[in-house]
Amino acid sequence: MALAASSVIGGVSHNRTINSLSFQLPKHGNIACSNCRIFTASCLAKTAASDVELPNSNPTTAAADSWSEFARNVSGEWDGFGADFSIEGSPIELPESVVPEAYREWEVKVYDWQTQCPTLAQPGENVMTYKNIKLLPTVGCEADAATRYSIDERNIGGVDNKVSAFAYQSSGCYTAVWPVADSGTHEVWELEHCLINPRDKESRVRIIQVVCVNGTKFVLQNIRVFCEQWYGPFRNGDQLGGCAIRDSAFASTAATKASDVVGVWQGQKAVANFYGSGNNLFQELKSNGALKSIRDESNLILLPKQLWCSLKERGSETCSEEVSIALETTVLEGV
């Protein structure tokens, strides 16, 4: 038996259709990661069931073709906005030291970073790299001359690999599990979910749950949300989207309604199985039947952009090592 935690991030559209991505991590030693714990996580985004194709599970060439398509869809310059949220769903203000004096004089609170995420996946091999770049806030339309505040480079695959598990779909969606270097006494993990909007493949959301393992407890520390638009082919962040960005700051906008999340949901799912995969931390999501979920308001954290998050303890349970993605639509009462 092993302790587990169930963590969910989600989004809903007006027709109450959901796309969900979930995964589970194994106990110590079952994957090529010496410090893995068991998690169950899910990630949801607005979409319509007819818009998404679950990948085919035909042999090696199909897998290679799927990765090549994924590489095409995920690579490029992704510009947008990012914000941190507390475990209550409240946006966290940017440090006062980075906010222009004009905002402080006007008593304007700033919650959003303007961001870049140049991403490059190699079509011929399972290697991907990207950078989370935060830009210092500017006043007015000065973003084209913005200064970089921080750069966080992430490497997936190859000799510089830092990821513990990675599951992908040809659409450009993926889930990554990152161990966080921490000088404290507790393990810290980042569970990252990237979801491409199937109706607009130049629009995506990345959600990161920061989870601390405190003894036998899995504690959600904070949530990061990035809303991004594809700005052009990969150029390693050399060019800013600036005022041409097709999105806007979102952290202080209205949160999702609980009534849009609770209820019974069902849909088709695809699965990536890590069990017995040895050192192969890359897995493709493949069609695997139907999924039914029942959600209530318990532990629900409501976020802007039709997103939500929850973390629930699941004690005395043995979990398999898999990732699944599913499209869910609400089930009418009495049906």
Side-chain angles (χ1 to χ4, degrees):
M1 293 297 182
L3 276 175
S6 177
S7 111
V8 182
I9 299 173
V12 292
S13 64
H14 295 300
N15 62 4
R16 291 176 59 84
T17 304
I18 291 182
N19 175 47
S20 86
L21 178 64
S22 68
F23 65 90
Q24 299 176 318
L25 285 181
K27 295 184 292 184
H28 295 267
N30 288 350
I31 287 187
C33 172
S34 59
N35 293 316
C36 284
R37 296 276 189 168
I38 298 178
F39 290 98
T40 305
S42 301
C43 190
L44 315 170
K46 48 186 180 294
T47 175
S50 60
D51 290 330
V52 173
E53 295 180 7
L54 299 178
N56 236 321
S57 62
N58 273 342
T60 318
T61 50
D65 290 344
S66 181
W67 174 263
S68 294
E69 186 177 352
F70 168 79
R72 286 194 300 271
N73 288 327
V74 79
S75 296
E77 298 292 315
W78 295 89
D79 290 2
F81 291 88
D84 285 12
F85 295 86
S86 70
I87 59 174
E88 290 81 24
S90 301
I92 299 173
E93 284 189 68
L94 268 56
E96 186 175 324
S97 60
V98 307
V99 177
E101 181 66 29
Y103 284 121
R104 295 198 294 271
E105 291 177 355
W106 302 330
E107 297 185 348
V108 174
K109 295 182 178 181
V110 183
Y111 300 98
D112 303 77
W113 296 96
Q114 186 177 333
T115 62
Q116 294 176 278
C117 188
T119 303
L120 182 63
Q122 301 294 343
E125 53 183 331
N126 290 344
V127 174
M128 187 173 99
T129 183
Y130 69 84
K131 296 177 182 176
N132 285 323
I133 302 173
K134 292 179 180 178
L135 306 176
L136 288 171
T138 56
V139 178
C141 196
E142 301 172 3
D144 290 309
T147 302
R148 290 178 175 180
Y149 172 73
S150 66
I151 301 175
D152 177 17
E153 185 169 348
R154 300 292 177 102
N155 295 297
I156 301 166
V159 295
D160 297 322
N161 177 67
K162 300 298 182 183
V163 76
S164 294
F166 187 85
Y168 68 92
Q169 194 176 46
S170 59
S171 62
C173 299
Y174 67 82
T175 290
V177 183
W178 302 95
V180 177
D182 183 47
S183 57
T185 57
H186 305 307
E187 295 178 22
V188 179
W189 295 86
E190 289 184 355
L191 314 180
E192 178 184 6
H193 318 268
C194 176
L195 294 165
I196 300 287
N197 184 344
R199 297 174 181 170
D200 177 8
K201 293 186 178 181
E202 294 186 358
S203 176
R204 75 179 189 183
V205 176
R206 287 188 301 125
I207 310 100
I208 298 174
Q209 294 170 291
V210 182
V211 179
C212 175
V213 183
N214 184 359
T216 59
K217 296 289 186 181
F218 298 92
V219 182
L220 182 64
Q221 292 189 315
N222 67 291
I223 305 148
R224 299 184 191 127
V225 179
F226 297 89
C227 296
E228 300 165 326
Q229 302 285 335
W230 190 82
Y231 186 65
F234 178 78
R235 297 183 60 177
N236 201 25
D238 287 345
Q239 183 176 353
L240 298 177
C243 293
I245 291 178
R246 291 164 289 165
D247 215 328
S248 58
F250 63 88
S252 58
T253 60
T256 303
K257 297 179 181 178
S259 58
D260 289 335
V261 178
V262 300
V264 182
W265 300 81
Q266 65 182 9
Q268 296 298 306
K269 69 174 180 177
V271 170
N273 192 344
F274 288 86
Y275 183 75
S277 60
N279 292 330
N280 185 6
L281 302 180
F282 283 76
Q283 296 292 332
E284 181 191 359
L285 293 151
K286 300 178 181 179
S287 181
N288 191 41
L291 175 72
K292 187 172 184 178
S293 303
I294 301 174
R295 300 190 178 95
D296 56 31
E297 295 188 40
S298 175
N299 298 309
L300 203 60
I301 303 169
L302 301 172
L303 301 165
K305 284 287 186 178
Q306 297 181 304
L307 297 169
W308 54 274
C309 176
S310 72
L311 179 71
K312 297 181 180 180
E313 290 290 338
R314 293 174 57 190
S316 302
E317 183 172 345
T318 299
C319 294
S320 60
E321 302 84 14
E322 67 177 38
V323 177
S324 67
I325 185 168
L327 289 175
E328 298 178 347
T329 56
T330 188
V331 178
L332 297 176
E333 293 185 11
V335 177

